[in-house]
C-alpha cells in the first residue's frame, strides 16, 4: 500500500463549502487529518528505528572489546587451552569450539530425526483430529523453560543414564552427552514446526499425482513431499542448529564449566554460550581481560548464529515465494 | 488454501509462538492447562490434615510448621525426600533472634547492596535474612566472588563487600582513585578445607608439599599414585574455586606460594556447592572450600588433615583459633563503605545487629567464631564507623 | 489415502517399509508426549510433599525449611511487566508501519525486515551482554536493577512482537482497508480506527506468547546479577531483583539435596504460570476467531 496511492486527501481537490461557494483549498478539517497522519507516521517510523538501534547496539558493544583483545592476544586463539580468567591466561578457543560442536551435534542427532518424523506425521499422516492433538504437544514441549530441562538433565539424565550406561571414561556428574540430549529436545519443536510448515505447503496436486501413480503413503511422503519441501527442511535444520548453538542455561547446568578438550561426550565440556554465562555469574570488571573475553566469545557466537539465521531465513523466503 | 503460516519466523530462535491460524490446538491445551493448574492449586493451597504424632523424625505434613511435644520444640523439616519432625535445639536461636534490642530496629528502612565472596555470603546472608525480619530494610547478597565484589565495591555499586582475603593493593588503589573509603572488618575465621570423596581411604592426611604438587601451575598429576607412591592409581578429578574467588587467591597463595598461580585443568566454580557435588560423585575427586561448607556437607565429603610440618591437623574451629591449622586458616572479611555508613541509614543498624548477634549467626551458618581479641577489635572498628554518621 | 485397490499388489517389502515407517513416526510422537509427561512426573515426584502455599509466600533462605519463591515471582512479574510495557507499544507501532505505511519493494524496508528476522534469532545471552555493556554499566549505568533487566528483556522480545503483530495485521481482510479508504479516510484513520482494533486479539495473543517466552528466559539476566540472594519484592525500577528461572537455577546448583526438591517445586510453579499465560493467549485467539467469523 503506497502512501498516497489511495489516499484521496493527498490529491484532495474538494474544498469546503462556504457561503461564497466552493473554495479549492483543503479545508481545515482535512489539513488537520493530514497533519495527524504525518505525526503518526513519524512516530511509527521512530519505532522502526529502535530495531536498528538495537542491532547497532549489539555491534557496537561486541566489536570494540573484541578488536582490542584480538590485538593483544592475536594468534593465541588458535591454542588448545582455554583459561582466560587465570594468571597467566590462555586464550586457545579450540576447547570451546569442540565443546560447542559436540553438544550441537548430539542435539541435531536427536532433533532432526524426531523433528522431521513429527513434521511428516503432521503433514501427511495425521487426520484433522490427530493434528489437533499433536500440534499442542509440540507447543508444550517448546514451552518448557530451559532451566527445567537443565534441571532434568542434571538430576536425571546425568546421574541415572550417562553415569550408569556410558562406557567410555569416568563420569563426573556433568556431561556433554546429557547437555546435547537436552538441547536436542529443546530444538526439536523448531525442526518440527518449520519443516511442517514447508511440507504442508507442498501443493496437494503433487501428492495426488504420487498416489495416482500407485505410490503408498510412505512413498509419497518420503519421495514426493519431502523432496518437494526439501528447502524448508534444510531451513528447519539450519534454524535449529543456530538455536542449539546459542543455548546457554542447559549447557551450563548439564555440561559443567570446565572447558575440556575432548571428543568423549561423557566428559564435561564448555560451550561458547555457557562460558559467557559462567563468566557472567562471577562479575567481570569492565575493561578487564575477563570482560573482553566474554565479548570476544559473544562476538563469535553472534556471528555464527547470524550467518546460520540469514541462510535459513533466506531459504524460507525463497520457498514461500515459489508456492505463493 | 494452503498459505503457509508465518510460524517459522517467530520460531527461529524463539521457544514458542503459536501458529496464527491454529484454533486447532485449543481444546487440547485448554484441558492440559486446566488439569495441571487445578492439581497444583489444590496442592499448594489445600491445608493438610493434622500431622501425625509429633516425635523426632516422625513424618509431618506442613513444611516449617512448629509444634511442641513434651516440652521439646519440633519443626517440620525437609529430611531427604520427605518431611519429618526435627528437634529444634534448646537455643531456639533459630533466626538468631536474640532478645532485647530488636525493637530498636523496627523502624529502620532502606536498601543495602552486598556482594563478594561466596564463602562469606552464607554468613552475611544469614545476618541479612535475620535483620530483614526485624526491620524494614531490603538487603541483597550477591556471589560474584571476592574479586568481582571488590570491583563493584570500588566503583561504588555496593555498600558492603564480602571478602575471603584482604583487599589487594591494586584494588585499594582503584578504590582510592574513585574516592571510596572503607573499613575492613574481620567477622569470622575460616579453615580452608581440602576435601575428598567418602570412599577415598588413602589420602586422609596430606602434606602441604603434596598439595602443592597437585595444584601448582604446570602440574601433570592425574593419578593419586603420582602424589605419593603408596597411593592407589585412582584417577584424580579436581574441583576448585574460580579465579574471581578469594578462596582461590588464598589457597593458591598458601599452597603454591603466590596468589593465582595454579594449574588450569580443573573444574572451576564460583559456587562452592558445585565442588561439594563434584567431590561427592567420583572416588578420586578432590577439591577445596571453606569450613562452613564442609560442616554443612560433612555427610557427603570427607576432610583431609593437613600436615604443614608438625603433624596432621584436622580442620576445625578450635584448630583455627589455636593456630595449629596452618597455612589454611584464614580470617573472613567484610568491607564497609564509609559513604554508605554516612548516608544510608540502614547500614550502621545492620552492622550493629551483625556484630551483636555474630556469635549466634556464626553458629547458625557454621562459621568459626572470632577470638576474644578479634571481637574487641571489631567492636572498636564499628564504633569508629558509627562516629562517621 | 493409501492405494486401496492396489493393496493386494504391494510387495511384502514395501508393506514392511510402510509399516515400519509409520511405526517410527508414531513412536516419535508418542516418545515426545511421554517425555513431557515423564518430566512433569519426575518434578512432581520430587516435590509433591513440599507443596503448600508456603512456596508462594516465603522468601529465599539458607534454611531449606524456610524457603519460598515470593521474591522470585514478583521479580519476574515486575521485570517482564515493564519489559512488555516497553516492547509492546514499540513493536505494534513498528509492525503497523511496516505493514501499512512503508514502501513495499524498497531496499530500506527489506533491510529493516531482514534485520528484524535476524534479531529474532540472536541468542538470548547476547542481549544480556549489550545490557551489561550499555545499560547496567557504560553510558546508562543503571546497575543491576529491575530497570536494566526490563530493557534487556524488552530488546529480546521486540523482534518477536513485531513479527507476530505483523501477522495479525496481515490477517485483517483487505476489504476493510479498501472500504475505509474508499469512504475518504486517510491511511492513518483507516489503520487507527479499523485495522488496529480488528487485529488487537491477534496481536494480544502473540504478545502474550512473547511475554511467556520472556518469563522463561534465564540466560540474559544471569549476566545482570539476578542470581543473587534477594529476600524482598521489588519496589521500583531501581530495586535489585531475582527471577523465577534463576531462583530455580540457584537451588538446583545447591549441594544440599533438600534444595533440589525445592527447585523441582519451583519448576512446576513456573510451568503452571507459563501454561496459564498460554491458555489466556489461546482463549483470546478463540475469541478473535469467533468474532471474525461473524
Amino acid at each position: 500500500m503506497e502512501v498516497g496511492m489511495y489516499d484521496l486527501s493527498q490529491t484532495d481537490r474538494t474544498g469546503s463549502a462556504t457561503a461564497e461557494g466552493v473554495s479549492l483549498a483543503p479545508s481545515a478539517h482535512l489539513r488537520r487529518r493530514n497533519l495527524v497522519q504525518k505525526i503518526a507516521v513519524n512516530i511509527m517510523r521512530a519505532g522502526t528505528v529502535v530495531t536498528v538501534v538495537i542491532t547497532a547496539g549489539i555491534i557496537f558493544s561486541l566489536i570494540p572489546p573484541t578488536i582490542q583483545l584480538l590485538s593483544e592476544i592475536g594468534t593465541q586463539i588458535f591454542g588448545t587451552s582455554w583459561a582466560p580468567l587465570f594468571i597467566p591466561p590462555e586464550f586457545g578457543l579450540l576447547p570451546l569450539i569442540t565443546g560447542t560442536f559436540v553438544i550441537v551435534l548430539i542435539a541435531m542427532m536427536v532433533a532432526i530425526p524426531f523433528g522431521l518424523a513429527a513434521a511428516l506425521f503432521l503433514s501427511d499422516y495425521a487426520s484433522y483430529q490427530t493434528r489437533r492433538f499433536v500440534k499442542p504437544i509440540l507447543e508444550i514441549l517448546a514451552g518448557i523453560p530451559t532451566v527445567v530441562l537443565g534441571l532434568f538433565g542434571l538430576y536425571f539424565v546425568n546421574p541415572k543414564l550417562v553415569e550408569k550406561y556410558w562406557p567410555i571414561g569416568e563420569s563426573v556428574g556433568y556431561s556433554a552427552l546429557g547437555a546435547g540430549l537436552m538441547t536436542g529436545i529443546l530444538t526439536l519443536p523448531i525442526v518440527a514446526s518449520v519443516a511442517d510448515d514447508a511440507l504442508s505447503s507442498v501443493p496437494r496436486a503433487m501428492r495426488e499425482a504420487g498416489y495416482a501413480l500407485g505410490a503408498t503413503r510412505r512413498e509419497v511422503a518420503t519421495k514426493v513431499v519431502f523432496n518437494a519441501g526439501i528447502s524448508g527442511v534444510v531451513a528447519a535444520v539450519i534454524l535449529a542448529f543456530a538455536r542449539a548453538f546459542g543455548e546457554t542455561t542447559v549447557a551450563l547446568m548439564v555440561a559443567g564449566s570446565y572447558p575440556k578438550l575432548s571428543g568423549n561426550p561423557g566428559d564435561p565440556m564448555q560451550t561458547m554460550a555457557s562460558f559467557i554465562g559462567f563468566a557472567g555469574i562471577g562479575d567481570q570488571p569492565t575493561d578487564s581481560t575477563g570482560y573482553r573475553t566474554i565479548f570476544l566469545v559473544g562476538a563469535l557466537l553472534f556471528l555464527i548464529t547470524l550467518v546460520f539465521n540469514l541462510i535459513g531465513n533466506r531459504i524460507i523466503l525463497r520457498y514461500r515465494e515459489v508456492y505463493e | 488454501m494452503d498459505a503457509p503460516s508465518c510460524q517459522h519466523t517467530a520460531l527461529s530462535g524463539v521457544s514458542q509462538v503459536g501458529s496464527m491460524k491454529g484454533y486447532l490446538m485449543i481444546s487440547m491445551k485448554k484441558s492440559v492447562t486446566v488439569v495441571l493448574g487445578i492439581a497444583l492449586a489444590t496442592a499448594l493451597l489445600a491445608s493438610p490434615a493434622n500431622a501425625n504424632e509429633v516425635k523426632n523424625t516422625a513424618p509431618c505434613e506442613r513444611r516449617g510448621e512448629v509444634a511442641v511435644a513434651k516440652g521439646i520444640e519440633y519443626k517440620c523439616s525437609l529430611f531427604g525426600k520427605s518431611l519429618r519432625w526435627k528437634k529444634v535445639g534448646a537455643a531456639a536461636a533459630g533466626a538468631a533472634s536474640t532478645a532485647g534490642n530488636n525493637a530498636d530496629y523496627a523502624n529502620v528502612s532502606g536498601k543495602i547492596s552486598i556482594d563478594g565472596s561466596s564463602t562469606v555470603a552464607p554468613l552475611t546472608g544469614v545476618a541479612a535474612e535475620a535483620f530483614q525480619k526485624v526491620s524494614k530494610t531490603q538487603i541483597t547478597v550477591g556471589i560474584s566472588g571476592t574479586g568481582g565484589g571488590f570491583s563493584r565495591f570500588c566503583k561504588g555499586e555496593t555498600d558492603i563487600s564480602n571478602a575471603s582475603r584482604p583487599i589487594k593493593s591494586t584494588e585499594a588503589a582503584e578504590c582510592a582513585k574513585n574516592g571510596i573509603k572503607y573499613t575492613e572488618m574481620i567477622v569470622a575465621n575460616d579453615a580452608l578445607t581440602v576435601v575428598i570423596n567418602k570412599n577415598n581411604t588413602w589420602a586422609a592426611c596430606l602434606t602441604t608439599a603434596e598439595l602443592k604438587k597437585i595444584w601448582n601451575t604446570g602440574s601433570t598429576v592425574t593419578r593419586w599414585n603420582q602424589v605419593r607412591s603408596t597411593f592407589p592409581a585412582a584417577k584424580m578429578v579436581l574441583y576448585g574455586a574460580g579465579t574471581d574467588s578469594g578462596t582461590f587467591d588464598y589457597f593458591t597463595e598458601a599452597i603454591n606460594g603466590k596468589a593465582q598461580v595454579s594449574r588450569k585443568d580443573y573444574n572451576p566454580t564460583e559456587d562452592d556447592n558445585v565442588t561439594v557435588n563434584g567431590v561427592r560423585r567420583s572416588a578420586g575427586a578432590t577439591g577445596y572450600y571453606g569450613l562452613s561448607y564442609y560442616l554443612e556437607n560433612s555427610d557427603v565429603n570427607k576432610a583431609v588433615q593437613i600436615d604443614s610440618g608438625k603433624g596432621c591437623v584436622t580442620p576445625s574451629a578450635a584448630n583455627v583459633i589455636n593456630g595449629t591449622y596452618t597455612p589454611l586458616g584464614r580470617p573472613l572479611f567484610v568491607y564497609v563503605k564509609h559513604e554508605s555508613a554516612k548516608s544510608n541509614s540502614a547500614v550502621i543498624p545492620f552492622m550493629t545487629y551483625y556484630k551483636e548477634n555474630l556469635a549466634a549467626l556464626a553458629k547458625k551458618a557454621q562459621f568459626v567464631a572470632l577470638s576474644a581479641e578479634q571481637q574487641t577489635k571489631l567492636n572498636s572498628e564499628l564504633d569508629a564507623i558509627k562516629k562517621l554518621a | 489415502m493409501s492405494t486401496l485397490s492396489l493393496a493386494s499388489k504391494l510387495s511384502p517389502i514395501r508393506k514392511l517399509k510402510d509399516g515400519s515407517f509409520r511405526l517410527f513416526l508414531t513412536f516419535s510422537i508418542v516418545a515426545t508426549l511421554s517425555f513431557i509427561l515423564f518430566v512433569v512426573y519426575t518434578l512432581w515426584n520430587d516435590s509433591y510433599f513440599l507443596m503448600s502455599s508456603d512456596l508462594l509466600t516465603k522468601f529465599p533462605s539458607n534454611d531449606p525449611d524456610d524457603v519460598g519463591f515470593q521474591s522470585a515471582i514478583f521479580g519476574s512479574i515486575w521485570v517482564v511487566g515493564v519489559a512488555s510495557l516497553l516492547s509492546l507499544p514499540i513493536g505494534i507501532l513498528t509492525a503497523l508501519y511496516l505493514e501499512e505505511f512503508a514502501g513495499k519493494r524498497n531496499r530500506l524496508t527489506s533491510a529493516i525486515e531482514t534485520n528484524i528476522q535476524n534479531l529474532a534469532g540472536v541468542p538470548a545471552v547476547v542481549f544480556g551482554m549489550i545490557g551489561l555493556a550499555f545499560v547496567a554499566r557504560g553510558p546508562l549505568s543503571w546497575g543491576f536493577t529491575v530497570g536494566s533487566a526490563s530493557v534487556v528483556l524488552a530488546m529480546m522480545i521486540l523482534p518477536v512482537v513485531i513479527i507476530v503483530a505483523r501477522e495479525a495485521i496481515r490477517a485483517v481482510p483487505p476489504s476493510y482497508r479498501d472500504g475505509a479508504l474508499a469512504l475518504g479516510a486517510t491511511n492513518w484513520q483507516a489503520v487507527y480506527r479499523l485495522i488496529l482494533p480488528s487485529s488487537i486479539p491477534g496481536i494480544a495473543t502473540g504478545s502474550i506468547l512473547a511475554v511467556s517466552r520472556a518469563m522463561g528466559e534465564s540466560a540474559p539476566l544471569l549476566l545482570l546479577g539476578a542470581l543473587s540472594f534477594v529476600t524482598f519484592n521489588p519496589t521500583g525500577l531501581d530495586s535489585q531483583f531475582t527471577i523465577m528461572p534463576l531462583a530455580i537455577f540457584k537451588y538446583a546448583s545447591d549441594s544440599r539435596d533438600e534444595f533440589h526438591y525445592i527447585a523441582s517445586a519451583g519448576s512446576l510453579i513456573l510451568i503452571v504460570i507459563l501454561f496459564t499465560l498460554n491458555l489466556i493467549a489461546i482463549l483470546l485467539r478463540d475469541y478473535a476467531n469467533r468474532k471474525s467469523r461473524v
Side-chain angles (χ1 to χ4, degrees):
Chain A
M1 185 82 43
E2 299 282 310
V3 171
M5 202 165 136
Y6 294 135
D7 190 342
L8 299 174
S9 62
Q10 299 278 34
T11 53
D12 188 71
R13 289 283 177 265
T14 63
S16 48
T18 64
E20 291 81 16
V22 176
S23 91
L24 286 176
S27 67
H29 171 66
L30 289 163
R31 261 180 285 134
R32 199 180 344 122
R33 273 194 343 171
N34 289 349
L35 187 63
V36 167
Q37 161 132 335
K38 275 214 187 80
I39 295 177
V41 171
N42 281 322
I43 294 180
M44 285 192 274
R45 275 211 191 101
T48 318
V49 167
V50 171
T51 55
V52 178
V53 166
I54 294 179
T55 313
I58 296 182
I59 298 180
F60 282 126
S61 71
L62 291 177
I63 304 246
T66 310
I67 295 187
Q68 196 163 9
L69 189 62
L70 280 177
S71 64
E72 284 169 22
I73 63 172
T75 51
Q76 282 185 53
I77 56 173
F78 297 116
T80 57
S81 168
W82 178 254
L85 306 174
F86 281 86
I87 294 179
E90 283 175 23
F91 295 99
L93 280 172
L94 197 59
L96 283 189
I97 294 182
T98 53
T100 316
F101 185 67
V102 168
I103 290 180
V104 171
L105 199 68
I106 298 176
M108 291 297 104
M109 291 202 300
V110 168
I112 295 179
F114 292 107
L116 290 181
L120 273 173
F121 183 81
L122 285 172
S123 67
D124 269 82
Y125 276 78
S127 64
Y128 178 74
Q129 289 296 359
T130 322
R131 215 188 141 87
R132 272 183 87 165
F133 184 76
V134 170
K135 269 245 139 176
I137 294 180
L138 287 172
E139 283 198 355
I140 291 175
L141 187 64
I144 300 182
T146 50
V147 220
V148 176
L149 286 175
L151 194 77
F152 186 75
L154 187 58
Y155 290 123
F156 183 81
V157 178
N158 272 349
K160 304 215 169 88
L161 292 181
V162 178
E163 261 183 67
K164 284 210 182 122
Y165 300 114
W166 188 253
I168 316 172
E170 230 177 72
S171 166
V172 295
Y174 294 119
S175 72
L177 180 59
L181 291 174
M182 290 295 112
T183 310
I185 291 170
L186 190 78
T187 47
L188 197 154
I190 298 180
V191 174
S193 155
V194 179
D196 174 43
D197 238 14
L199 296 173
S200 299
S201 52
V202 168
R204 286 187 74 185
M206 292 186 101
R207 288 191 179 84
E208 285 169 1
Y211 289 131
L213 289 171
T216 64
R217 201 192 278 208
R218 168 190 60 92
E219 285 164 350
V220 168
T222 53
K223 297 189 179 148
V224 177
V225 177
F226 192 78
N227 289 331
I230 192 76
S231 51
V233 168
V234 167
V237 169
I238 292 178
L239 290 175
F241 206 86
R243 177 74 181 88
F245 236 87
E247 181 44 53
T248 310
T249 320
V250 170
L252 192 55
M253 286 175 92
V254 187
S257 40
Y258 176 26
K260 188 163 186 178
L261 182 60
S262 151
N264 176 12
D267 282 341
M269 289 184 204
Q270 193 171 55
T271 65
M272 294 190 281
S274 74
F275 167 72
I276 298 176
F278 171 73
I281 299 178
D283 184 88
Q284 302 299 326
T286 317
D287 282 347
S288 64
T289 316
Y291 181 85
R292 294 201 198 122
T293 319
I294 300 183
F295 281 83
L296 170 67
V297 176
L300 193 59
L301 185 68
F302 174 68
L303 239 94
I304 297 179
T305 47
L306 184 70
V307 167
F308 277 117
N309 276 313
L310 267 170
I311 299 177
N313 287 328
R314 174 61 63 88
I315 297 180
I316 291 180
L317 215 63
R318 224 178 310 137
Y319 87 69
R320 284 173 71 200
E321 275 175 16
V322 168
Y323 287 132
E324 271 175 6
Chain B
M1 223 330 271
D2 287 333
S5 76
C6 299
Q7 186 180 353
H8 68 276
T9 53
L11 264 175
S12 61
V14 178
S15 320
Q16 46 96 18
V17 175
S19 157
M20 293 311 296
K21 296 206 302 198
Y23 44 83
L24 308 170
M25 26 229 116
I26 302 158
S27 49
M28 159 89 188
K29 276 191 110 173
K30 255 195 225 173
S31 31
V32 165
T33 315
V34 168
V35 165
L36 202 60
I38 292 180
L40 202 72
T42 27
L44 281 176
L45 301 171
S47 309
N50 272 331
N52 300 331
E53 177 199 335
V54 179
K55 195 170 70 165
N56 205 21
T57 67
C60 57
E61 302 268 325
R62 222 181 152 97
R63 185 176 61 119
E65 203 177 352
V66 166
V68 179
K70 299 204 183 98
I72 308 178
E73 203 176 308
Y74 293 94
K75 188 167 164 208
C76 187
S77 305
L78 261 179
F79 195 77
K81 204 168 157 183
S82 59
L83 288 175
R84 293 184 184 276
W85 291 113
K86 247 195 232 175
K87 238 187 287 197
V88 177
S97 51
T98 54
N101 310 333
N102 287 340
D104 298 343
Y105 302 117
N107 289 322
V108 175
S109 68
K111 290 187 205 172
I112 307 182
S113 176
I114 309 180
D115 201 347
S117 162
S118 69
T119 306
V120 184
L123 180 61
T124 309
V126 158
E129 215 185 309
F131 188 66
Q132 283 174 103
K133 288 205 177 100
V134 301
S135 71
K136 296 198 189 81
T137 50
Q138 286 182 356
I139 310 178
T140 38
V141 182
I143 46 163
S144 304
T146 303
F150 276 131
S151 78
R152 293 190 67 205
F153 186 71
C154 289
K155 276 200 209 107
E157 284 178 28
T158 52
D159 303 306
I160 298 177
S161 204
N162 294 324
S164 59
R165 57 150 171 86
I167 191 170
K168 283 194 249 197
S169 51
T170 45
E171 291 162 340
E174 184 69 29
C175 271
K177 191 172 90 181
N178 294 333
I180 309 276
K181 292 203 189 40
Y182 53 83
T183 299
E184 172 188 285
M185 297 191 221
I186 298 181
V187 290
N189 293 303
D190 182 31
L192 247 182
T193 309
V194 177
V195 288
I196 47 177
N197 185 278
K198 280 275 175 185
N199 296 327
N200 182 329
T201 48
W202 56 89
C205 179
L206 292 172
T207 66
T208 46
E210 283 169 340
L211 280 176
K212 185 169 181 178
K213 206 170 178 190
I214 299 175
W215 287 99
N216 207 356
T217 179
S219 164
T220 49
V221 172
T222 48
R223 291 189 180 275
W224 281 95
N225 58 356
Q226 293 169 286
V227 179
R228 203 190 287 177
S229 48
T230 51
F231 286 166
K235 190 135 175 256
M236 194 182 270
V237 186
L238 296 169
Y239 287 87
T243 50
D244 232 354
S245 161
T247 307
F248 175 74
D249 294 334
Y250 195 87
F251 184 81
T252 49
E253 176 150 22
I255 296 293
N256 295 332
K258 187 164 185 281
Q260 304 207 310
V261 167
S262 163
R263 71 189 289 172
K264 301 181 175 58
D265 55 340
Y266 67 94
N267 293 288
T269 176
E270 307 297 348
D271 183 359
D272 295 327
N273 286 308
V274 173
T275 308
V276 172
N277 277 329
V279 170
R280 170 195 198 174
R281 282 193 186 107
S282 33
T286 177
Y288 59 88
Y289 46 67
L291 183 68
S292 70
Y293 278 89
Y294 172 64
L295 292 174
E296 276 274 1
N297 296 293
S298 53
D299 46 337
V300 296
N301 283 177
K302 195 155 83 174
V304 169
Q305 295 181 318
I306 308 290
D307 180 355
S308 57
K310 299 205 183 102
C312 298
V313 182
T314 317
S316 73
N319 287 340
V320 172
I321 295 189
N322 66 25
T324 51
Y325 188 73
T326 58
L328 295 175
R330 59 172 179 168
L332 296 177
F333 304 89
V334 143
Y335 286 74
V336 179
K337 191 167 78 178
H338 285 181
E339 189 53 49
S340 302
K342 273 186 239 171
S343 55
N344 187 336
S345 56
V347 170
I348 291 185
F350 173 63
M351 288 311 299
T352 314
Y353 180 86
Y354 202 153
K355 179 209 79 161
E356 280 172 10
N357 297 296
L358 192 51
L361 292 170
K363 186 159 184 223
K364 181 161 202 250
Q366 301 189 303
F367 278 78
V368 178
L370 296 175
S371 66
E373 51 175 280
Q374 284 176 316
Q375 185 75 42
T376 325
K377 183 154 181 267
L378 182 65
N379 291 341
S380 57
E381 277 164 353
L382 193 59
D383 288 334
I385 289 201
K386 279 192 201 164
K387 293 207 184 81
L388 285 173
Chain C
M1 237 344 274
S2 198
T3 53
L4 294 163
S5 54
L6 297 171
S8 51
K9 301 263 174 73
L10 280 178
S11 75
I13 300 180
R14 259 171 109 195
K15 273 207 198 118
L16 184 67
K17 281 193 198 168
D18 278 0
S20 44
F21 187 69
R22 200 203 178 106
L23 194 66
F24 172 61
L25 293 193
T26 323
F27 169 74
S28 306
I29 304 287
V30 169
T32 311
L33 178 62
S34 326
F35 177 78
I36 298 173
L37 292 175
F38 186 65
V39 169
V40 175
Y41 166 73
T42 317
L43 291 175
W44 180 256
N45 193 29
D46 274 351
S47 61
Y48 65 89
F49 48 90
L50 268 178
M51 290 296 177
S52 73
S53 57
D54 274 359
L55 284 173
L56 298 175
T57 54
K58 286 198 179 157
F59 291 96
S61 164
N62 271 310
D63 182 355
D65 300 321
D66 226 357
V67 167
F69 289 99
Q70 194 185 145
S71 52
I73 294 177
F74 276 93
S76 276
I77 294 177
W78 266 86
V79 170
V80 172
V82 178
S84 315
L85 282 175
L86 285 174
S87 60
L88 291 182
I90 298 181
I92 296 174
L93 284 176
T94 310
L96 277 176
Y97 180 75
L98 288 172
E99 278 300 305
E100 299 289 326
F101 296 95
K104 275 297 167 165
R105 291 286 159 193
N106 85 54
R107 280 212 269 167
L108 184 62
T109 314
S110 38
I112 293 184
E113 286 176 350
T114 322
N115 185 35
I116 293 176
Q117 287 279 31
N118 291 332
L119 278 180
V122 168
V125 227
V126 175
F127 289 108
M129 290 169 61
I130 320 177
L132 189 64
F134 290 140
V135 185
R137 302 209 186 128
L140 288 176
S141 274
W142 283 349
F144 293 165
T145 56
V146 168
S148 318
S150 311
V151 169
V152 166
L153 281 186
M155 285 195 285
M156 196 179 80
I157 58 176
L158 184 65
V160 179
V161 171
I162 295 176
I163 291 172
V164 149
R166 284 190 73 177
E167 282 184 34
I169 296 170
R170 238 179 268 165
V172 173
S175 52
Y176 283 37
R177 192 186 308 119
D178 294 344
L181 292 173
L183 289 172
T186 59
N187 245 342
W188 169 245
Q189 283 178 324
V191 164
Y192 176 60
R193 289 173 189 279
L194 193 54
I195 297 181
L196 191 56
S198 327
S199 57
I200 289 249
I203 293 180
T205 310
S207 310
I208 293 182
L209 295 171
V211 161
S212 73
R213 188 200 163 189
M215 217 169 221
E217 245 338 301
S218 37
L221 298 190
L222 200 59
L223 288 158
L224 285 175
L227 194 60
S228 37
F229 184 76
V230 173
T231 53
F232 52 85
N233 296 332
T235 49
L237 288 180
D238 59 344
S239 275
Q240 294 200 288
F241 67 102
T242 183
I243 54 172
M244 256 323 252
L246 286 178
I248 298 173
F249 182 94
K250 189 173 200 289
Y251 296 139
S253 325
D254 200 296
S255 60
R256 291 165 282 184
D257 267 341
E258 287 85 11
F259 280 100
H260 305 168
Y261 307 132
I262 292 175
S264 303
S267 306
L268 280 176
I269 297 177
L270 181 61
I271 290 179
V272 166
I273 295 179
L274 291 176
F275 274 25
T276 314
L277 280 174
N278 255 286
L279 186 63
I280 297 177
I282 293 172
L283 287 174
L284 263 172
R285 189 160 53 190
D286 221 358
Y287 169 72
N289 286 321
R290 238 180 293 135
K291 255 187 101 184
S292 67
R293 257 178 283 156
V294 161

